[in-house]
Amino acid sequence: MKLAVWTYEGPPHVGAMRVATAMHGLHMVLHAPQGDTYADLLFTMIERRNHRPPVSYTTFQARDLGADTSGLFTSACRDAFDRFQPQALMVAASCTAELIQDDPGGLAETMGLSVPVIALELPSYQRKENFGCDEAFLQLCRTLAKPMARTERVTCNIFGPTALGFRHRDDLAEITALLSEMGIEVNVAAPMGASPADITRMGAAHFNVLLYPETAESAARWCEKELGQPFTKTIPIGANATRAFIEEVRALSGSTIPVDETRMRQPWWAASVDSTYLTGKRVFLFGDGTHVMAAARVARDEMGFEVCGMGCYNREQARPLRAVAKEFGLEALITDDYLEVEAAIEEAAPEMILGTQMERHIGKRLGVPCAVISAPVHVQDFPARYSPQMGFEGANVLFDTWVHPLVMGLEEHLLHMFRDDFEFHDDAGPSHHGGHAPRNDPGAAAAHAAADEGGSMPLPSAPLAPLDAPALPGNIIWLTCAERELKKIPFFVRGKARRNTEKFAVEKGISEITVDTLYEAKAHYAR
């Protein structure tokens, strides 16, 4: 198994825990050593859930390996059943316990428990977290869901939302409200908020709504085959996709009730004069395949951005993502190595990144604004407020989330560009005090020193910081005048300008980069 400082996905048993934690009336027993028992941290600290996940562990130690570890597992199962009295029990092994080959599923099935046992086979060394979600939900459906008579009114099931998912809570609420507006009742929403008893009545729905293929497509396909329930293929992220989703639901349900779009501001705001100056901004997208494919179309068709790169970390969605990338004239980046992602972003030199928590850090290092569109995410992306990504309100949220980083970046660039203006230079007093009197601030000297060392916009008199770029071939150096001129270039294309100038200098055999060299390189690459 690959070890790294950062990882986009955990092992598959984490995905299974996401399904179990999203539900109620279900308990999971995980055969795992000490060190693999970190579910409480994931769900209570990052997602800020107000109750601990329904997971018990065997927590065997090194000294137990020479004894009966299978006995530890059966004892843990019996204790969990007696204590929690679940409607169903899910059992699995962590990536470490898999090596022992104790067969938790077989052991649990021979215990004669009075509730269904869902045994999971999770190949930890071949698959990852999203597969664990998908497989756990599939096995729940296969074990519990049965064909039955349909409801009198047209109803549907919603598949996909899990614990620790990016805005799954709010997406579920938004799409449930949208379906209700169309006169369609939700029979079961699962895994989030469902119980094993709810899973048993899924067959009563007329069709299924699939929100997240990476966590529930296998279950949707199984229900289509075994329960005769078709499922939606459109992911309702963005204004256009939400309208297409509504039409698809109408085709499946026969609903003709009109839907109110008046609360959706995104199309008009994106076309307004305040936003059109952002048209053509180059963006790079990376995350799970579902969100990247949807966000790419929103970025191009609804925001007017230029997509200069895209990729995903979950290989299960590599094929559809490559097809979408081809539509954009790009080659998709399929990797779970964040260093490869960083190199691709640096090469593409975008003006904004739409990515995960990883890309948020990459953007900070590269000086490129970033908006988060996909898991993995950190605690700040589980907001207390209502903030969906799907539906009409989701389109409004996308506009705010994507445009604001660019506006703030533009503001910083303008402040930097006008720093020598009589009104805005660093020594000018507050303009609202009148007369633009010089600053009379006893802490000004300290503030200047701080700006020299670490401020986002150092003073013109500040000494130049050492280059963070690698040493140049042929002893090429940047003269001070050229460095100062380079800083006048907007921050979001400054890195590309630096690289092009250095490449030009190497090709021309120039050892000292001057202002003239900078503009000669600009003219050369503009041809």
Side-chain angles (χ1 to χ4, degrees), residues 415-428:
L415 288 172
H416 181 81
M417 190 165 66
F418 289 105
R419 67 182 312 144
D420 293 323
D421 185 272
F422 77 97
E423 185 175 3
F424 298 110
H425 67 84
D426 293 314
D427 290 324

Side-chain angles (χ1 to χ4, degrees), residues 275-394:
S275 301
T276 51
Y277 68 85
L278 299 175
T279 299
K281 294 295 182 186
R282 302 173 74 254
V283 297
F284 191 103
L285 301 97
F286 194 86
D288 72 66
T290 296
H291 285 85
V292 167
M293 288 185 283
R297 293 191 171 98
V298 174
R300 181 190 63 185
D301 302 334
E302 301 179 31
M303 302 290 196
F305 297 149
E306 178 191 342
V307 177
C308 64
M310 69 173 73
C312 73
Y313 54 78
N314 45 338
R315 296 183 182 277
E316 294 86 353
Q317 293 184 300
R319 181 174 295 176
L321 185 69
R322 286 193 176 104
V324 172
K326 188 176 181 180
E327 173 191 327
F328 281 72
L330 301 169
E331 183 176 348
L333 174 66
I334 313 298
T335 181
D336 59 0
D337 186 341
Y338 71 93
L339 294 176
E340 287 185 32
V341 178
E342 181 169 2
I345 292 173
E346 194 167 10
E347 176 65 26
E351 293 156 277
M352 183 169 68
I353 304 167
L354 301 175
T356 73
Q357 173 70 9
M358 312 293 201
E359 284 66 49
R360 195 204 306 269
H361 291 296
I362 290 171
K364 287 178 182 177
R365 286 199 299 277
L366 298 179
V368 180
C370 177
V372 173
I373 63 165
S374 161
V377 292
H378 211 339
V379 63
Q380 65 265 45
D381 290 304
F382 291 97
R385 70 186 184 278
Y386 183 61
S387 187
Q389 300 288 286
M390 294 185 175
F392 293 141
E393 187 58 29

Side-chain angles (χ1 to χ4, degrees), residues 125-442:
Y125 297 91
Q126 290 83 38
R127 310 303 287 268
K128 293 195 173 182
E129 181 178 329
N130 279 326
F131 170 82
C133 288
D134 190 64
E135 179 67 12
F137 187 46
L138 170 63
Q139 295 307 325
L140 271 168
C141 294
R142 293 182 66 172
T143 303
L144 302 175
K146 306 297 180 190
M148 60 179 60
R150 305 286 192 233
T151 56
E152 282 190 33
R153 294 180 56 191
V154 175
T155 60
C156 70
N157 300 315
I158 296 181
F159 284 176
T162 69
L164 212 65
F166 181 59
R167 307 290 169 83
H168 285 195
R169 174 201 68 190
D170 297 344
D171 286 349
L172 177 58
E174 180 72 14
I175 299 306
T176 299
L178 178 61
L179 291 166
S180 177
E181 189 176 354
M182 299 176 67
I184 301 166
E185 183 180 342
V186 174
N187 177 51
V188 174
M192 183 173 281
S195 67
D198 293 328
I199 303 296
T200 63
R201 58 184 182 85
M202 285 197 325
H206 293 73
F207 66 98
N208 295 320
V209 170
L210 177 61
L211 295 186
Y212 310 104
E214 69 273 11
T215 61
E217 185 172 359
S218 294
R221 293 189 180 281
W222 182 87
C223 288
E224 182 177 49
K225 180 180 178 181
E226 300 296 329
L227 305 182
Q229 295 171 328
F231 65 94
T232 59
K233 311 299 192 299
T234 305
I235 308 302
I237 294 179
N240 294 342
T242 299
R243 293 181 182 125
F245 171 79
I246 290 170
E247 293 307 313
E248 188 176 8
V249 169
R250 283 181 173 147
L252 291 172
S253 66
S255 171
T256 58
I257 299 174
V259 175
D260 180 16
E261 293 189 17
T262 56
R263 61 194 174 93
M264 184 171 61
R265 303 173 187 88
Q266 181 259 1
W268 161 241
W269 284 38
S272 68
V273 68
D274 292 326
S275 301
T276 51
Y277 68 85
L278 299 175
T279 299
K281 294 295 182 186
R282 302 173 74 254
V283 297
F284 191 103
L285 301 97
F286 194 86
D288 72 66
T290 296
H291 285 85
V292 167
M293 288 185 283
R297 293 191 171 98
V298 174
R300 181 190 63 185
D301 302 334
E302 301 179 31
M303 302 290 196
F305 297 149
E306 178 191 342
V307 177
C308 64
M310 69 173 73
C312 73
Y313 54 78
N314 45 338
R315 296 183 182 277
E316 294 86 353
Q317 293 184 300
R319 181 174 295 176
L321 185 69
R322 286 193 176 104
V324 172
K326 188 176 181 180
E327 173 191 327
F328 281 72
L330 301 169
E331 183 176 348
L333 174 66
I334 313 298
T335 181
D336 59 0
D337 186 341
Y338 71 93
L339 294 176
E340 287 185 32
V341 178
E342 181 169 2
I345 292 173
E346 194 167 10
E347 176 65 26
E351 293 156 277
M352 183 169 68
I353 304 167
L354 301 175
T356 73
Q357 173 70 9
M358 312 293 201
E359 284 66 49
R360 195 204 306 269
H361 291 296
I362 290 171
K364 287 178 182 177
R365 286 199 299 277
L366 298 179
V368 180
C370 177
V372 173
I373 63 165
S374 161
V377 292
H378 211 339
V379 63
Q380 65 265 45
D381 290 304
F382 291 97
R385 70 186 184 278
Y386 183 61
S387 187
Q389 300 288 286
M390 294 185 175
F392 293 141
E393 187 58 29
N396 295 336
V397 171
L398 292 182
F399 176 85
D400 289 343
T401 307
W402 298 7
V403 168
H404 289 175
L406 286 173
V407 173
M408 295 301 101
L410 180 65
E411 180 181 79
E412 181 172 346
H413 171 58
L414 290 174
L415 288 172
H416 181 81
M417 190 165 66
F418 289 105
R419 67 182 312 144
D420 293 323
D421 185 272
F422 77 97
E423 185 175 3
F424 298 110
H425 67 84
D426 293 314
D427 290 324
S431 60
H432 62 279
H433 285 173
H436 308 301
R439 276 179 73 175
N440 185 17
D441 181 0

